[in-house]
Amino acid sequence: MTRGGIGAARVGKALGLVPRQVRLAARTGLLAQHQDGTFDADAVARAAADPGPFLTALSREEPLTATEAAHRLGIGRERFRRVAQAAGLPVVDRVTVSRYGRDLEVRYYRTADVDTLHPHITADRELREAARRVARSLAATKAAATRAHNRERARNARRYLATLAPDRQTDPADVIAFACALARLHGTAPARLRRFMGDPRVRDIAEIAEQCRYKPTEIAELLAAAGPRAITALRSLARPHRVWATLGVPAEDIAHRIPSIDHHISTDLLHRLATDPPRWLLELHADRELEHATAAVTRWLDREWHAQQRRAEAVCRAAEAVIDHLTDEAVAELFGLPMELIPDLRPRSNKWTTAYVEELLHTRPLWLRSQTLARAEITRRAAARARRETARAQRRLGWRRTWARALAIPLEAVPDTVERPTPAALQSARTHPPHWAPPQ
């Protein structure tokens, strides 16, 4: 007999499920559900009568995140993702969450599907172990090849270093360079050799000695044998200033052509070069002399050029002093005007300066374009001059009247050259009368 449907709350209470598990059972078809959302009572009764298989089936449908699935399988999350991608594990749900200001997608996997990955995990473990074994084998092969290469390189370096080892005929500079290279590799050096440790030859020999892969004791033995000879060879070196004084060229210019260290060369070699100079030394000396001669000529030319400049400037100044002012005849000829009009057309300075005439030639005012306009300009200037003189005379007369009233003297007693009657000047005149206004 079929009974009616029951609600989700009653189903959860009857089976001991939370609402999420009830919804999961309905979605996966473990519990039949009517169209109105209620659950079939018979299905619920069967599940309640024997809950073990039902709960087992429900747990196999639980969704798991990647972290939860990895924990269930006993592996890391990155390994789970790699195996799941290789096995094509289906994703049952995707949820977007916000974390740390970013939108992240969380994927859910079915528990039953996750449990099927155990064979894939075993295969992945075995594959990675095989890959590690192959990598170790390849690494061992590569290491063996590298060691063989290093041994061969060390043998070649030792053979080459043996050719650099000094003997009785070796130049003193080479002896010192070899000992300094060993001292550089050993880490200690005699005090008298330290000044040569920065020479490029020392660095080059030290690099070769380093490739020899000597043991520290072997390097110490080599240094003990080469050190005393290098100290003795120091007495046979000529300093750079002596090389320059003897050969006439700087020591650094010849250092790359002969055995040397820090621009020091042996005294025997210096004597041979000075006695029988080779062709390249003569060429260097000639180049040096040519540089000195060129520099001397350049200095002489510079002095002559500056002297000529000073003479030219003096001539120009003298010429400017001569032609700074033009005569009336020259101005009349420039502007095509009669000579008798030119004196009355002079500027207020009463001089025809070169700059002023150049400006007139550039602007070409109307009063220089014809005789009629020039005579009109002369008449205008005379009238303006008369007006100025009249205004000046009236101004002076007003000043004299003010002085006469202030000092109570006749107008005729005040001179025409009297200064402007300012309040300060009047007060001073009352206290100390001028010579033309005797005290009353």
Side-chain angles (χ1 to χ4, degrees), residues 1 44 54 89 97 210 232 261 315 379 387 401 427:
M1 174 178 170
V44 175
F54 172 78
L89 188 67
V97 296
E210 188 175 4
T232 305
I261 182 167
V315 171
T379 303
R387 288 194 299 272
R401 287 173 180 173
Q427 181 63 30

Side-chain angles (χ1 to χ4, degrees), residues 238 242-243 246-247 265-277 281:
R242 182 182 173 187
V243 175
T246 304
L247 302 181
I265 66 175
S266 67
T267 53
D268 294 340
L269 179 59
L270 178 62
H271 179 69
R272 289 198 301 271
L273 292 176
T275 305
D276 186 16
L281 181 58

Side-chain angles (χ1 to χ4, degrees), residues 183-203:
R184 183 187 184 94
L185 192 62
H186 187 262
T188 59
R192 297 180 63 182
L193 298 180
R194 290 173 186 168
R195 61 177 300 178
F196 304 106
M197 299 296 289
D199 191 89
R201 293 185 60 202
V202 173
R203 292 195 296 268

